Amino acid sequence: MVRAALAEKGDSGVTPRHTLFYFYGDEDLHGDLCEVARRAGFLTRGQGDMTVLETTMPVDEASFAPVSAMMQSWAAAFQLDYEGWECVVVS
């Protein structure tokens, strides 16, 4: 859905841009996610039952697929819900 919206605006996704990833779940389960994410180069922020991971990266399919898989695996490993991602448009 995000990539389709980018394409409508003439954005192929290959230019690196600020990208956010959202996780929700039990407040006590976010600490380990934040530690692993920081070690992987992400900035982390959030409070309570929400964590947002931030990075600058391209979001085209080839670049994004491994990161998306990593987000899914982190959600499963830390018993959190991965709610998706968003980024700025670069055209």
Side-chain angles (χ1 to χ4, degrees):
M1 222 168 33
V2 174
R3 268 194 221 84
L6 294 174
E8 287 177 16
K9 298 190 183 311
D11 184 347
S12 69
V14 297
T15 302
R17 79 280 318 279
H18 185 239
T19 306
L20 304 173
F21 301 88
Y22 297 90
F23 292 83
Y24 294 89
D26 186 308
E27 184 173 349
D28 296 330
L29 300 174
H30 290 264
D32 290 337
L33 167 66
C34 290
E35 180 63 29
V36 167
R38 281 191 289 269
R39 288 182 187 173
F42 291 86
L43 297 175
T44 64
R45 63 182 166 92
Q47 63 182 23
D49 68 347
M50 179 191 74
T51 294
V52 179
L53 306 183
E54 299 182 52
T55 194
T56 299
M57 63 175 287
V59 296
D60 61 287
E61 181 62 33
S63 301
F64 194 78
V67 176
S68 181
M70 183 172 57
M71 295 301 158
Q72 296 289 339
S73 69
W74 285 352
F78 301 116
Q79 301 174 26
L80 296 168
D81 295 320
Y82 171 52
E83 292 291 325
W85 61 283
E86 68 179 47
C87 65
V88 298
V89 175
V90 178
S91 52

